[in-house]
Structures are given as C-alpha cells and as structure tokens.
Amino acid sequence: MNKRILVTGAAGFIGSHVCERLLSQGYIVTGIDNFDPFYPRQIKEKNLAASLANPSFEFIEGDAGDTGTQDKITRIPDLVIHLAAKAGVLPSLKAPPDYIIGNILLTNKILEWMREKGIKKMIFASSSSVYGNTDVIPFREDQPVNSPFSPYAFTKRSCELMNYTYHQLYGMDIMNLRLFTVYGERQRPDLAIHKFVHLIMQKKSIHLYGDGSTSRDYTYWKDIVDGISSSLDYILAHEGVFEVINLGNNKPVKLIELVEQIAAVMNTHPDIIYEEKKPGDVDITYADISKAGKILGYEPRTSMKDGLSNFINWFKHANGEKTQ
C-alpha cells in the first residue's frame, strides 16, 4: 500500500511544491493549511490548484494544532512533514507571542497528536536563522547555536530541542532540516527577491537595508524539495533517527549582487536607496552541505541565474495584467 503523508502548511510556497512532488511519486497526501493572513489567501489557493486536481490529495483547512482540525484527518499518516509556521524574522520582532504560539506551541500540539496516534516519523522545517550572527562559516550542524538573533530564530531552535525530547522519550524518528533562504516560483511576497522584482516591474526604487554587503545562501525551491524528498526516503528506510541537516546552496550572494543579477536578467538598471540596517538581520548565512550530501545525496543543481530567470518568468505570467 502506498505510504500516507501529512503535510502541514500545504498551501504555502514550499508546502505546495512538496505536495506536488509527493503526489507525482505516488504517495497519498493530506494537506493542512489555515490560510494565515500573512499574505493573501488567493495566492495560496492558486498554489494548491494542481494538488487539488489529484484524487490522491485531500485538503483540510484549519490550524494543524487544533483538535477540531486533527479530528478531520481520516487517513492517519505514516509520516508528517511539518512545514507550517509563523514566518519572517522582522515581523517576529513586533509580535513574539504570536511566534511562540504559531511555532513552538503548534509543533508541540502536532507532536502530542502524533504520540497519541502512534505516528513515529516527522520531517521538520527549521531555519538557517538558528545560527544567529556567527563568524563561524560555513555553518555546520555541529556548531553551537545558542545565540538566536530574533524571536523567529529562537522559536525554530526551541522546536528542534523539543523534537529531540520527543525522539528520546517516545522513540520518534525526526529530521530537522535547516532551510537556507528559499526562493523561486510561488515565493512569499514579503521576501527580498519577490519584492525586488515587483518594484522593478513597477519602475519603483529598491530600498536596501544596510550597505548591501549582507549575504544570503539563496537556495532554489527545486533543490530544497529534492532534499526534503531524499529525507523522506531516508527516514522511511531507517529506525532510531534523529538528525539536523542543512539544506542550502553553499554559495552566499551579497545583497547588492543579488539586485545586480536580478537587474541583469530583467535588462534594467534599478534605482537603489540605502537605509539603516534592520534589527534581527544577520550579516551572512552560509550552509555547509557536506552532511546533506553524505546522508541524503543532496546536491543543489540550480544556478542563481537560472533560478532568477525561472522566478521572473513565473512572476510576469502570474502578474501579467498588473505589469502591462
């Protein structure tokens, strides 16, 4: 019988791509999403369209931690891919309690539900933000991560620790995947690449926080989904698993270089306005992906140029009426 997978955050940027990949591989998928108003519902509904057309997909609207939502799950999964979260470093500075509820408490409720139902395997989407503003680069999974730089970061680190406790106490197999600045088609509107392309299309200035020297390990969504898919294969084939693994691109790009690359693909010269660096913004993210390569066979294949071209083409198609 085909394995059953539960995906939380199924209507989001990464979640919707993960659902489509799982369905293409023959899994039976249940997706949950609460359509958090962080960005418009209609965007998430479009994200879900392809999966909803597949008879092996069932969608449940609601908060994955609520008992009412959990009671609607009729196909008890063999594994949970937990992607749902309150997202965003800067927004977390304004509302830390919301992130404690939306990340730590939500994850705890999912773990408790799994324990009650006898579900033993979970893949958890953590974040590169747990590394904080460290000088130790590239970031290795075995280095200390005791200096989170934002409420978002400390909630993700808290979830990793909580996952370990459930692994130890209840024998759950868990993989914490630290994702590094994922971009590409369906990217959230609040993220840098999406915002920059939108501003250029509207012939508006781009505001950069800091001097443009901060760097991010931008990772194309297909490479991330490849890593999640390989993690799924691994955890289904092994027992006694608890792993923390970086999924990044291993090639940091400076903010100003990112803008220049976007401008080159769009054949334009944007107006740039520099502003004061925001609190909670780290200087660099840089993934050591040797562990992912060894355990998962992970190897990112999408160049920045190709990834940006794919995103910009998608953006123009998705927003054609607005950008004529």
Side-chain angles (χ1 to χ4, degrees):
M1 185 177 71
N2 292 343
K3 295 288 185 181
R4 295 190 289 259
I5 311 296
L6 175 69
V7 179
T8 71
F13 165 37
I14 300 172
S16 60
H17 284 301
V18 168
C19 288
E20 289 175 23
R21 175 70 65 86
L22 295 174
L23 291 167
S24 73
Q25 294 173 329
Y27 290 104
I28 299 169
V29 181
T30 298
I32 296 178
D33 204 290
N34 67 351
F35 292 103
D36 186 292
F38 191 65
Y39 61 97
R41 179 189 179 104
Q42 64 186 30
I43 294 176
K44 292 185 177 182
E45 289 177 341
K46 289 181 180 178
N47 292 348
L48 274 177
S51 293
L52 288 171
N54 191 311
S56 294
F57 182 74
E58 178 184 29
F59 180 70
I60 299 170
E61 180 175 350
D63 189 308
D66 289 348
T67 55
T69 302
Q70 293 170 352
D71 289 344
K72 295 178 183 178
I73 302 172
T74 57
R75 302 187 298 201
I76 301 302
D78 299 289
L79 181 142
V80 174
I81 300 179
H82 179 27
L83 305 175
K86 286 288 289 184
V89 169
L90 294 180
S92 76
L93 301 177
K94 300 177 181 178
D98 291 347
Y99 282 73
I100 292 170
I101 294 169
N103 294 348
I104 300 174
L105 185 58
L106 171 64
T107 301
N108 179 253
K109 288 181 176 180
I110 290 171
L111 287 167
E112 278 295 293
W113 175 77
M114 289 174 60
R115 183 174 67 85
E116 292 168 5
K117 298 297 183 181
I119 303 163
K120 290 290 190 177
K121 296 180 183 288
M122 181 173 80
I123 293 171
F124 173 72
S126 188
S127 167
S128 62
S129 66
V130 302
Y131 288 104
N133 208 22
T134 178
D135 293 329
V136 182
I137 54 173
F139 301 166
R140 290 174 51 91
E141 294 91 344
D142 58 359
Q143 73 187 67
V145 282
N146 301 319
S147 303
F149 224 53
S150 67
Y152 173 74
F154 81 63
T155 62
K156 283 296 188 179
R157 180 59 181 145
S158 298
C159 288
E160 290 183 353
L161 294 170
M162 181 164 50
N163 291 343
Y164 180 75
T165 300
Y166 276 73
H167 163 73
Q168 285 288 94
L169 289 177
Y170 308 116
M172 291 184 181
D173 297 328
I174 299 178
M175 299 184 76
N176 296 313
L177 304 180
R178 292 175 177 169
L179 309 185
F180 281 69
T181 316
V182 190
Y183 76 100
E185 302 92 303
R186 303 180 192 165
Q187 187 187 45
R188 295 200 327 261
D190 64 295
L191 295 177
I193 292 174
H194 195 127
K195 288 197 297 185
F196 294 164
V197 171
H198 178 71
L199 289 169
I200 291 173
M201 291 293 292
Q202 298 294 322
K203 302 188 184 305
K204 295 180 179 179
S205 299
I206 290 177
H207 293 247
L208 298 186
Y209 300 114
D211 61 4
S213 65
T214 56
S215 300
R216 295 291 179 270
D217 200 346
Y218 298 100
T219 315
Y220 189 59
W221 71 265
K222 280 188 179 179
D223 294 320
I224 291 292
V225 173
D226 285 346
I228 294 173
S229 178
S230 297
S231 299
L232 175 61
D233 293 339
Y234 182 88
I235 199 171
L236 287 175
H238 295 81
E239 301 293 332
V241 175
F242 184 85
E243 296 286 356
V244 177
I245 297 179
N246 290 335
L247 292 185
N249 195 39
N250 193 235
K251 296 177 181 178
V253 176
K254 290 184 178 180
L255 184 59
I256 187 61
E257 293 173 353
L258 171 68
V259 175
E260 291 170 351
Q261 290 191 45
I262 292 172
V265 173
M266 300 181 73
N267 193 29
T268 188
H269 298 281
D271 177 49
I272 298 173
I273 298 174
Y274 292 92
E275 298 187 8
E276 186 177 352
K277 187 178 177 182
K278 293 285 188 179
D281 197 14
V282 299
D283 296 328
I284 187 172
T285 62
Y286 185 177
D288 182 324
I289 56 174
S290 56
K291 182 177 181 180
K294 181 179 180 181
I295 293 179
L296 306 176
Y298 175 76
E299 182 181 358
R301 294 178 170 83
T302 310
S303 69
M304 195 73 190
K305 180 180 179 181
D306 288 344
L308 288 174
S309 295
N310 292 344
F311 173 76
I312 291 166
N313 288 335
W314 169 84
F315 183 93
K316 289 179 178 178
H317 177 75
N319 298 275
E321 292 184 2
K322 300 177 183 179
T323 57
Q324 293 297 325

